[in-house]
Amino acid sequence: MSIDQLPEIAQAMVAKGKGIIAIDESNATIKKRFDSVGVENSEENRRAYREMLLTTPNLSDYISGAILYDETLRQSTKAGVPFTKVMMDNGILPGIKVDTGAKALAGFPGEMVTEGLDGLRERLAEYAALGAKFAKWRAVININIEDGMPSEACIKANCHALARYAALCQEAGIVPMVEPEVIMDGTHDIDDCYVVTERVLRTLFNELFDSNVMLEGTILKASMVIPGKDCDEQADVEEVADYTVQCLKSAVPAALTGIVFLSGGQSDEQSTAHLNEMNKTENLPWPLSFSYGRAMQSAALKIWGADIVNNVAEAQKTVYARAKDNGLAALGEWQ
Ligand code: 13P
């Protein structure tokens, strides 16, 4: 694939009323999810779980793509059909998480920097050959106002890495999804979250510009502007939607093809309600959709985990229902 095809892929990712399902948990993260429902974290169970998700009947009514983990990109259905083929046959674009995780940032206790640039060019070439059409890299930004977090060093290091990753993706003919996640943990209020998110996004788009990244072939995966989980003053749906849209408008160039949100620990209902409210705004410069992990999967995981052999169809109904709710929210039509 050449760089000329990137805008088309990016547009398909945020097609009207469609979003992304994030199922790119590392083996360590999926262990936590499986532990919560008492399922053993074996390779076969991970494969079976991802098969349940990816073969949900008519999933592409509301889902344009799925972000996979390295192991999953190489796996097949029980019947032996590679997941990437099942996805492409069903109109779902395969995506791949390519960062190798957030590590402690030296010199800045409590802050993180995402790693994975070494050898990335070679890995991207392999992922493209395996059928990946887009990639994801997640940076972690913690807020702790009293301790001066996030530091300028943390924001700069993470945004620079995101830009180098994005440029390498485009060189490989893969659409980069850039994800600077401002974490919800903490006591900060919604105004603090706004200031930090705006600063991070402005730094990110400066870095993308400096690295010659084509915004028309890029997707932003954003966190919503929302008070910390332990903040005394929580915000209502309208407030989160207003703050988030205002922040994005002030920091994200209109040339970008689309923005999708992570759920970040919000409940299923909150994540859908917030997205829906934002999409009632008129004349947004970009489509606003979803790329939820937990908020797409948690209900289905509970059902599947209760009986991984017999509850597949029942779990898939829940996956479809969550996809539909979020697809409608991407149009501002969810009730
Ligand atoms: P959550 O929606 O569970 O936050 O996960 C999305 C994701 O891909 C985080 O990188």
Side-chain angles (χ1 to χ4, degrees):
M1 211 170 62
S2 80
I3 196 154
D4 305 339
Q5 290 164 288
L6 295 176
E8 207 181 310
I9 300 273
Q11 285 158 23
M13 289 166 68
V14 290
K16 257 192 183 339
K18 293 195 189 193
I20 310 275
I21 180 169
I23 59 167
D24 59 329
E25 298 85 2
S26 65
N27 290 351
T29 301
I30 199 74
K31 181 180 186 314
K32 289 186 214 155
R33 309 277 188 263
F34 279 8
D35 282 350
S36 73
V37 293
V39 171
E40 187 203 343
N41 184 27
S42 64
E43 182 174 350
E44 172 51 23
N45 285 346
R46 293 192 295 271
R47 193 207 59 72
Y49 178 61
R50 269 70 181 248
E51 176 170 352
M52 180 277 289
L53 295 168
L54 292 171
T55 58
T56 294
N58 304 314
L59 189 61
S60 64
D61 290 353
Y62 303 104
I63 295 292
S64 58
I67 317 173
L68 310 180
Y69 183 59
D70 181 276
E71 175 185 273
T72 319
L73 187 74
R74 302 168 194 278
Q75 285 175 327
S76 302
T77 62
K78 188 126 188 120
V81 187
F83 284 153
T84 48
K85 177 164 167 41
V86 174
M87 294 168 75
M88 288 305 277
D89 287 351
N90 291 329
I92 296 178
L93 296 165
I96 177 76
K97 183 235 297 291
V98 302
D99 65 71
T100 55
K103 309 284 156 61
L105 178 64
F108 294 85
E111 299 202 283
M112 317 284 277
V113 64
T114 299
E115 295 187 348
L117 288 172
D118 287 357
L120 183 57
R121 173 175 278 135
E122 291 73 25
R123 287 195 291 129
L124 285 167
E126 191 198 1
Y127 288 142
L130 286 168
K133 304 293 179 207
F134 71 98
K136 182 192 103 170
W137 178 291
R138 170 175 175 260
V140 170
I141 309 290
N142 288 312
I143 304 183
N144 184 328
I145 302 299
E146 292 76 41
D147 291 350
M149 282 160 51
S151 65
E152 194 60 24
C154 170
I155 295 176
K156 269 197 194 148
N158 277 294
C159 291
H160 184 72
L162 277 162
R164 286 187 57 197
Y165 139 82
L168 283 163
C169 283
Q170 293 193 333
E171 180 189 84
I174 288 180
V175 170
M177 179 186 270
V178 288
E179 180 184 14
E181 175 172 1
V182 177
I183 302 290
M184 272 171 71
D185 296 339
T187 55
H188 55 272
D189 63 21
I190 192 167
D191 291 299
D192 294 329
C193 184
Y194 184 104
V195 170
V196 169
T197 305
E198 184 180 41
R199 199 167 128 218
V200 169
L201 291 174
R202 283 176 184 253
T203 307
L204 173 62
F205 283 95
N206 283 339
E207 289 283 350
L208 293 174
F209 178 74
D210 287 347
S211 291
N212 277 344
V213 172
M214 180 186 32
L215 296 186
E216 293 81 355
T218 302
I219 297 290
L220 171 68
K221 178 156 174 168
S223 41
M224 296 182 195
V225 177
I226 199 164
K229 277 185 201 149
D230 299 322
C231 176
D232 294 336
E233 228 176 296
Q234 289 298 316
D236 61 25
V237 171
E238 288 74 20
E239 219 175 338
V240 172
D242 284 353
Y243 271 70
T244 305
V245 167
Q246 186 51 45
C247 185
L248 293 170
K249 276 187 176 172
S250 91
V252 179
L256 187 83
T257 295
I259 302 173
V260 293
F261 292 100
L262 56 97
S263 57
Q266 296 181 43
S267 70
D268 290 6
E269 172 140 0
Q270 276 176 330
S271 66
T272 304
H274 289 149
L275 179 63
N276 189 61
E277 192 63 31
M278 284 186 242
N279 274 304
K280 292 182 184 165
T281 317
E282 286 184 7
N283 298 322
L284 288 168
W286 355 250
L288 293 183
S289 190
F290 61 96
S291 173
Y292 296 154
R294 284 161 286 179
M296 272 299 303
Q297 296 180 58
S298 52
L301 175 65
K302 279 198 198 102
I303 297 171
W304 178 82
D307 185 341
I308 67 174
V309 177
N310 296 306
N311 282 0
V312 170
E314 200 56 33
Q316 288 178 328
K317 276 188 206 153
T318 311
V319 177
Y320 186 83
R322 287 299 298 142
K324 182 173 181 181
D325 281 350
N326 291 320
L328 291 172
L331 299 170
E333 291 172 5
W334 176 74
Q335 301 292 330

